[in-house]
Amino acid sequence: MVEKSDFFHDLAVVLDTWSQTSTDSLTADKADLLWMEEKDGCIRMREAFEKAGVESSAVRAVLNECFRGLLVSALSIIDGATEMAEKGRVHLVSEDGEPLGEDLHQEFVNYLFDTGRLK
């Protein structure tokens, strides 16, 4: 049976993966940009970061925070924290029909703290 921690683990892996992939695209000269539609913008940003001496660790930290905010915002929608809740709610349930619960956005942040991904 799927546990909430399994779901949070997958979200954290996606967060880590996209943070690193985006960082590589914005900081590594030989990064593969095949996945990206805005290649020219990415290259210009890469050049600007290099010229300004911005380290890849700083880029990764900022991107990770932005992506984390996006994930927390999506979970907040599921938790009913937006105007959509006035019309109805979306609930996450396992294939057995068991709900993953409420307050997913805060529990995900707690999971990140508990696993050392967030300090």
Side-chain angles (χ1 to χ4, degrees):
M1 180 165 77
V2 173
E3 301 286 331
K4 196 181 305 191
S5 61
D6 298 319
F7 176 61
F8 291 157
H9 171 77
D10 279 359
L11 287 178
V13 168
V14 167
L15 174 61
D16 292 342
T17 300
W18 276 104
S19 295
Q20 191 59 55
T21 299
S22 299
T23 298
D24 291 346
S25 296
L26 290 168
T27 62
D29 287 335
K30 296 182 181 185
D32 179 6
L33 301 180
L34 292 175
W35 64 274
M36 193 174 257
E37 287 186 40
E38 297 296 328
K39 291 174 185 64
D40 292 338
C42 183
I43 292 168
R44 286 194 304 276
M45 288 179 70
R46 182 190 303 158
E47 291 167 351
F49 286 154
E50 185 176 340
K51 183 176 180 180
V54 177
E55 296 179 4
S56 64
S57 60
V59 174
R60 189 180 194 293
V62 169
L63 290 172
N64 186 273
E65 190 165 346
C66 292
F67 296 148
R68 184 177 64 246
L70 179 63
L71 289 174
V72 169
S73 294
L75 292 171
S76 294
I77 293 168
I78 293 167
D79 285 337
T82 65
E83 289 182 32
M84 184 185 78
E86 295 174 14
K87 297 178 182 179
R89 293 274 311 276
V90 174
H91 296 276
L92 291 179
V93 297
S94 71
E95 64 185 32
D96 299 325
E98 294 295 319
L100 290 184
E102 302 289 324
D103 205 27
L104 296 172
H105 70 286
Q106 185 57 52
E107 289 189 42
F108 178 60
V109 171
N110 292 343
Y111 175 86
L112 295 175
F113 276 116
D114 293 345
T115 58
R117 287 180 166 94
L118 187 58
K119 296 172 177 43

